[in-house]
């Protein structure tokens, strides 16, 4: 309980809430975004912070996006001196009372076989499926091509 409270308080002070943040059961999905792509780019990454305020672990098991032929949950990790990216077939555990950040250079959604570019200022819907919480549609807000976080809303 106290760990959950600290996790929620830490995130509430760390970043402003955005209109596109979603509370979904025991999960909070904060700051969803993607980077703008060039017109013929075949892939893009999707990013979001997932906070589990519940007393049980959950797991992000899959993702889909209409703009992509395939959407996978990926991880980038150092293997020796080489950064490698790989799909996570078993998804990502979202521990009770903790948060998991999908961000550039770490865990992320990989949108592959794009049917069009991701345009700065627009949104792209993705469907996330969690083992316990179920399925939710989330709008990724498209930031600049080099964005490391969602753009602040005014």
């Amino acid at each position: 309980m106290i760990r959950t409270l600290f996790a929620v308080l830490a995130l509430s002070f760390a970043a402003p809430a955005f209109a596109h943040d979603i509370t979904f059961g025991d999960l909070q999905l904060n700051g969803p975004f993607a980077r703008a792509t060039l017109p013929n780019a075949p892939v893009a990454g999707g990013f979001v912070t997932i906070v589990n305020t519940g007393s049980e672990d959950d797991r992000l098991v899959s993702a889909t996006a209409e703009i992509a032929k395939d959407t996978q949950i990926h991880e980038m990790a150092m293997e020796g001196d080489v950064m490698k990216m790989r799909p996570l077939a078993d998804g990502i555990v979202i521990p009770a009372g903790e948060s998991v950040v999908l961000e550039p250079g770490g865990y992320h959604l990989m949108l592959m076989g794009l049917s069009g570019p991701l345009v700065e200022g627009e949104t792209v819907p993705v469907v996330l499926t969690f083992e316990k919480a179920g399925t939710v549609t989330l709008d990724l807000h498209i930031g600049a091509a080099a964005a490391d976080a969602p753009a602040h809303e005014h």
Side-chain angles (χ1 to χ4, degrees):
M1 171 80 170
I2 291 176
R3 207 164 93 178
T4 301
L5 179 60
F6 284 126
V8 171
L9 286 174
L11 279 174
S12 65
F13 288 109
F18 295 104
H20 50 272
D21 292 346
I22 295 175
T23 298
F24 176 65
D26 288 334
L27 301 178
Q28 294 175 353
L29 307 175
N30 299 325
F33 77 101
R35 294 172 169 165
T37 61
L38 296 173
N40 294 316
V43 299
F47 314 103
V48 63
T49 298
I50 305 168
V51 181
N52 184 346
T53 63
S55 59
E56 294 184 52
D57 293 353
D58 205 337
R59 180 184 301 269
L60 175 61
V61 294
S62 69
T64 60
E66 286 187 18
I67 196 167
K69 289 180 185 171
D70 190 22
T71 304
Q72 297 178 356
I73 302 165
H74 274 213
E75 155 182 66
M76 291 186 77
M78 290 299 292
E79 289 184 18
D81 292 335
V82 179
M83 177 69 81
K84 293 197 173 186
M85 181 170 53
R86 66 183 178 104
L88 299 174
D90 295 330
I92 300 172
V93 173
I94 315 299
E98 295 185 27
S99 62
V100 173
V101 180
L102 280 64
E103 62 187 344
Y107 292 130
H108 60 279
L109 302 174
M110 195 73 195
L111 289 75
M112 300 181 298
L114 295 175
S115 61
L118 303 187
V119 178
E120 186 173 354
E122 295 183 359
T123 61
V124 171
V126 295
V127 177
L128 303 180
T129 301
F130 293 89
E131 191 172 71
K132 294 182 180 155
T135 301
V136 63
T137 299
L138 176 70
D139 285 333
L140 298 178
H141 293 261
I142 311 304
D148 284 331
H152 294 288
E153 294 181 350
H154 298 284

